[in-house]
Amino acid sequence: MIAHLQRASNTVGLLSYLYGPGERGDHVSPRLIAVAGHGAPIELLAEPGSLPYLAHALDAPVERLGTRVPAQPTWVCSVRSDPRQPDLTDPQWAAVARRLVDVTGIAPEGDPDACRWIAVRNRPRQVHVVATIAREDGSLDNGYRDSFRLQSECQLLAAELGHLPIASQSTPRTQETRMPSPSITITITAEPSGSVSAKGASDDLSATLLKHAGFQQIDDWYGRRHRLPTTTPTDYRAAIATHAAEMLRAARYGVDLDPTQDTTKAFTSANALGPYAAGAELLRLTEQIRSAETGADLKQALDHLLDPEHGALERIREALEAAGEQITDLDDEAFQLADRFGFAEDFVHSAMSELVDSEDELLGVGRAQQPSDQAQTRSRWLPQFRGAAVAASPAAAKAQVSSSLDSRSTQRSAGGLPPRAPGPRL
């Protein structure tokens, strides 16, 4: 069983395709087999002539987001079963769909604010699960590691259904010829272009495992190799590479996996990004923020970023300020470049001011007693963290920076320090 995950921007167009004849006329008897509409009469709208109303029912939570609507709010998961095995019934496929939306977080079992979703069958051995990522409480599903969770759950479903190949009772000689040679090593690495490639898979078994994980096979004058599609989201590449390495190792292949693509290792090594130790530390902090399960955990992680004296933002502000001063000291004619660093410093200072005194709000994140109109998002990054500064118009932001610069110039003049201006160096 294999799942393919996509995102779409037009729900009604997607439904028209699913309920239509298909690109090759292979859609047969399109029908709704499972649904979760939170009270919307979706079952009554699942007819070819009612698709705009069906799309509107699914999109209702998205429309309530206003300006926060993402570019691709529709989540589409296509699941196929093994063509060598008997097809599943509609109730069995409906159960598969419910497990997939549960494991990905689209619609966890028992969650009253989960996303709306439907499951459509229009071909043998296949089902399409369509959901909108806006939850009933006004938050967005973040989709973090959905692809990895889907593949893992599909493998578990295939095992439960008995669709996984059974080990043959062949002679030891036959088994010996089928087992991979211990000398075969497959290298999975991130290329400078950002793509992830796998090299060394010269036999059919390793090629099958890589394709099952999501890699595409390429055969040309360089030989056989595998690469993730360029459309694979950046956040999913490491998860897919790690999953492929786990399957290959289980099949007794040697695997040389790029550490940057290994999700089983914490991003805490000092040389994770080579000489960029500060970037590696911020990457570790980002992972800690994303893994927070409560508001208290989130506050503890963000304290390393927002602390007014020792936080990462304060250190960045100081570095930008020092850079501007050093530029002026080295070249008094480069005042424009120095001012650009001064502007950047002001923006960071403005961001810190926007997020000050947010500790109490962070501690309240996820509490059940919050009113629904103030419910926090279950995404790792909350919309409230963006602040009014991000939503302000460019003109307003420019005026704020100008006001900040005028205020700082006044303070420097009052303290006896002349404003920064080009002039001869002393």
Side-chain angles (χ1 to χ4, degrees):
M1 187 170 289
I2 301 176
H4 179 58
L5 187 61
Q6 302 179 76
R7 293 283 287 272
S9 58
N10 189 335
T11 305
V12 66
L14 173 64
L15 294 178
S16 299
Y17 167 75
L18 294 178
Y19 277 87
E23 294 180 355
R24 296 180 293 274
D26 53 355
H27 289 180
V28 179
S29 183
R31 56 197 181 276
L32 196 70
I33 63 171
V35 59
H38 295 278
I42 291 181
E43 297 90 338
L44 304 177
L45 302 175
E47 299 293 336
S50 304
L51 296 183
Y53 302 100
L54 175 59
H56 178 72
L58 288 172
D59 286 337
V62 177
E63 295 173 355
R64 293 197 294 265
L65 295 177
T67 58
R68 295 192 295 119
V69 176
Q72 294 179 312
T74 307
W75 186 92
V76 190
C77 178
S78 302
V79 190
R80 296 182 182 180
S81 63
D82 191 339
R84 299 167 297 180
Q85 302 291 340
D87 196 3
L88 305 183
T89 63
D90 282 1
Q92 286 177 315
W93 274 119
V96 169
R98 291 188 183 95
R99 285 183 59 170
L100 295 183
V101 295
D102 177 46
V103 74
T104 56
I106 286 290
E109 185 177 358
D111 187 351
D113 295 322
C115 302
R116 300 185 181 188
W117 63 274
I118 61 174
V120 179
R121 283 203 71 187
N122 55 18
R123 292 181 62 186
R125 296 183 175 84
Q126 186 171 5
V127 68
H128 301 276
V129 184
V130 180
T132 47
I133 62 173
R135 290 167 47 82
E136 295 294 318
D137 59 5
S139 62
L140 291 173
D141 179 81
N142 66 351
Y144 180 61
R145 299 192 73 187
D146 275 1
S147 179
F148 178 77
R149 293 189 178 100
L150 283 171
Q151 299 301 341
S152 299
E153 189 69 13
C154 282
Q155 193 171 15
L156 181 60
L157 283 165
E160 294 176 1
L161 293 169
H163 288 186
L164 291 180
I166 301 175
S168 60
Q169 300 297 326
S170 54
T171 64
R173 180 179 179 84
T174 303
Q175 290 179 355
E176 183 179 353
T177 58
R178 290 175 178 267
M179 295 300 287
S181 170
S183 61
I184 296 178
T185 299
I186 299 172
T187 302
I188 303 177
T189 183
E191 299 179 347
S193 62
S195 178
V196 178
S197 65
K199 300 177 182 179
S202 56
D203 62 310
D204 293 338
L205 176 58
S206 60
T208 300
L209 292 174
L210 286 169
K211 286 190 286 186
H212 178 74
F215 283 78
Q216 289 182 341
Q217 181 171 314
I218 302 173
D219 291 291
D220 52 22
W221 55 84
Y222 291 108
R224 176 186 289 184
R225 62 191 190 282
H226 297 77
R227 177 177 292 138
L228 287 182
T230 56
T231 55
T232 305
T234 304
D235 293 343
Y236 300 159
R237 294 173 185 172
I240 295 174
T242 302
H243 181 53
E246 290 174 348
M247 289 193 296
L248 289 168
R249 286 168 178 154
R252 298 181 62 184
Y253 288 94
V255 181
D256 184 8
L257 179 60
D258 190 333
T260 63
Q261 304 302 309
D262 190 351
T263 60
T264 63
K265 296 181 179 179
F267 296 91
T268 56
S269 58
N271 60 345
L273 297 180
Y276 301 103
E281 183 62 21
L282 287 176
L283 182 60
R284 184 202 61 78
L285 177 59
T286 302
E287 290 299 319
Q288 183 180 353
I289 292 172
R290 283 177 174 161
S291 62
E293 297 182 355
T294 65
D297 293 341
L298 190 59
K299 175 185 176 299
Q300 183 179 6
L302 285 170
D303 184 60
H304 296 280
L305 184 70
L306 304 178
D307 186 86
E309 294 184 7
H310 308 294
L313 285 180
E314 174 60 15
R315 297 287 83 83
I316 293 173
R317 187 201 65 78
E318 291 178 350
L320 291 171
E321 180 182 25
E325 295 174 351
Q326 189 67 11
I327 290 171
T328 303
D329 291 341
L330 296 176
D331 187 355
D332 52 19
E333 296 294 328
F335 59 92
Q336 292 183 344
L337 178 60
D339 283 343
R340 288 169 58 190
F341 277 87
F343 291 147
E345 176 203 343
D346 287 327
F347 279 120
V348 175
H349 186 271
S350 178
M352 294 173 61
S353 300
E354 179 64 31
L355 299 173
V356 71
D357 298 331
S358 60
E359 292 84 356
D360 293 338
E361 296 180 40
L362 288 172
L363 289 175
V365 169
R367 289 182 179 174
Q369 62 268 26
Q370 289 179 323
S372 59
D373 59 340
Q374 296 179 352
Q376 305 295 324
T377 178
R378 53 193 297 278
S379 168
R380 299 299 190 227
W381 287 103
L382 307 180
Q384 288 82 349
F385 289 175
R386 300 175 183 173
V390 176
S393 66
K398 183 176 180 181
Q400 182 180 2
V401 172
S402 299
S403 175
S404 176
L405 289 174
D406 292 342
S407 175
R408 188 171 62 180
S409 299
T410 302
Q411 293 175 358
R412 290 177 176 174
S413 298
L417 296 176
R420 181 184 301 169
R425 299 176 59 186
L426 298 180

